[in-house]
Amino acid sequence: MTFSEENYLKTIYHLTTASDSEVSTNAIAEKMETKASSVTDMLKKLAEKGLVNYKKYQGVSLTQEGKLEAKMIVRKHRLWEVFLVEKLGFSWDEVHDIAEQLEHIKSEKLINKLDDFLDNPTEDPHGDPIPDREGRIVKIEKQLLSELSENQSGICVGVKDTSSEFLKYLDKQEIALGSKIEFLSKESFDLSLRIKVNGKELTISNKIASNLFVKLV
């Protein structure tokens, strides 16, 4: 597959995972910042290769083969992110763009050796699950911080927004994967939250809380 074909498969996979339904051409075009006509052309190519199910005006879904291919691209991306953070000292807001380039390396042997070298991690630095070499994913029970009730506590296990700006904000607030977050109260006016992170109290917006995944403790 070409880099472009791989990027399309990965995008469709992420959109399908988020909505659990067929994906529209316009949604793909918006995500990839391209024209709908270009998306249609690519979907036809992917359909010819047996990687997607595509019917005009009815959306698109991945075939079993297409889903496995997409998972392997995601696997490479997330393993490289772990390597960059744990072994090369990159911060979690720096690694996405680099991993975007590294995910296109074709060597399956290299990726499997990388996986073993990293002790077979199940999550990337942002808390997203890493498919194993068979495409299996270990699911984590998690919910958004904004969905908690007062006096509940959780451990930060992931982020919904992986943008550099958001991750840098979390660094400033000393919120990271593994941080214990206590939900103290919610302001009815703007739905901002008063929380305690590792013993330190602070106020965050509802938007921030809606982008943090926690596992109840």
Side-chain angles (χ1 to χ4, degrees):
M1 287 190 294
T2 65
F3 287 7
S4 182
E5 288 171 337
E6 289 185 344
N7 286 334
Y8 269 87
L9 280 184
K10 185 179 69 171
T11 298
I12 296 169
Y13 173 77
H14 286 316
L15 289 171
T16 303
T17 302
S19 65
D20 199 28
S21 62
E22 289 189 333
V23 179
S24 71
T25 301
N26 288 336
I28 299 170
E30 182 179 353
K31 185 75 173 178
M32 300 193 71
E33 299 181 349
T34 189
K35 297 179 181 177
S37 58
S38 298
V39 174
T40 300
D41 291 341
M42 178 57 76
L43 294 181
K44 289 177 180 177
K45 292 179 183 178
L46 294 174
E48 289 173 1
K49 292 187 175 185
L51 299 171
V52 301
N53 299 306
Y54 172 67
K55 289 185 179 180
K56 197 172 182 180
Y57 307 123
Q58 293 184 25
V60 63
S61 61
L62 295 171
T63 62
Q64 285 302 111
E65 182 182 354
K67 185 178 291 186
L68 181 59
E69 290 283 358
K71 284 183 176 180
M72 291 303 101
I73 299 165
V74 170
R75 166 177 163 79
K76 288 186 283 186
H77 182 103
R78 293 176 178 172
L79 283 172
W80 283 120
E81 287 193 336
V82 175
F83 175 76
L84 290 166
V85 169
E86 291 190 358
K87 304 303 180 181
L88 297 187
F90 283 83
S91 61
W92 66 344
D93 61 279
E94 296 177 304
V95 295
H96 179 76
D97 289 343
I98 304 172
E100 286 278 298
Q101 301 171 55
L102 294 170
E103 71 186 28
H104 297 294
I105 293 174
K106 303 296 183 184
S107 174
E108 182 179 346
K109 183 177 181 180
L110 170 63
I111 300 305
N112 289 338
K113 282 186 173 293
L114 176 65
D115 191 14
D116 292 338
F117 175 67
L118 297 170
D119 294 325
N120 311 110
T122 57
E123 301 165 23
D124 73 6
H126 310 110
D128 293 317
I130 300 175
D132 67 13
R133 60 195 68 191
E134 305 298 330
R136 297 182 295 253
I137 294 176
V138 177
K139 291 189 176 181
I140 303 171
E141 291 297 325
K142 61 184 180 181
Q143 62 189 100
L144 293 172
L145 177 59
S146 57
E147 298 173 347
L148 265 60
S149 300
E150 291 186 5
N151 299 318
Q152 283 189 305
S153 298
I155 300 296
C156 181
V157 293
V159 292
K160 189 175 181 180
D161 181 351
T162 58
S163 67
S164 177
E165 293 80 5
F166 181 60
L167 298 176
K168 286 178 179 177
Y169 169 84
L170 295 181
D171 284 340
K172 287 180 181 178
Q173 302 298 336
E174 299 181 356
I175 299 174
L177 298 188
S179 295
K180 183 178 180 180
I181 303 176
E182 299 176 58
F183 189 137
L184 301 179
S185 61
K186 178 181 288 188
E187 176 58 55
S188 59
F189 173 68
D190 62 358
L191 302 181
S192 59
L193 277 66
R194 189 70 182 166
I195 62 174
K196 183 183 288 186
V197 182
N198 298 324
K200 174 186 172 184
E201 287 192 22
L202 67 150
T203 299
I204 61 172
S205 68
N206 185 261
K207 182 177 181 180
I208 298 297
S210 298
N211 279 289
L212 281 173
F213 286 113
V214 297
K215 180 178 181 179
L216 291 177
V217 292

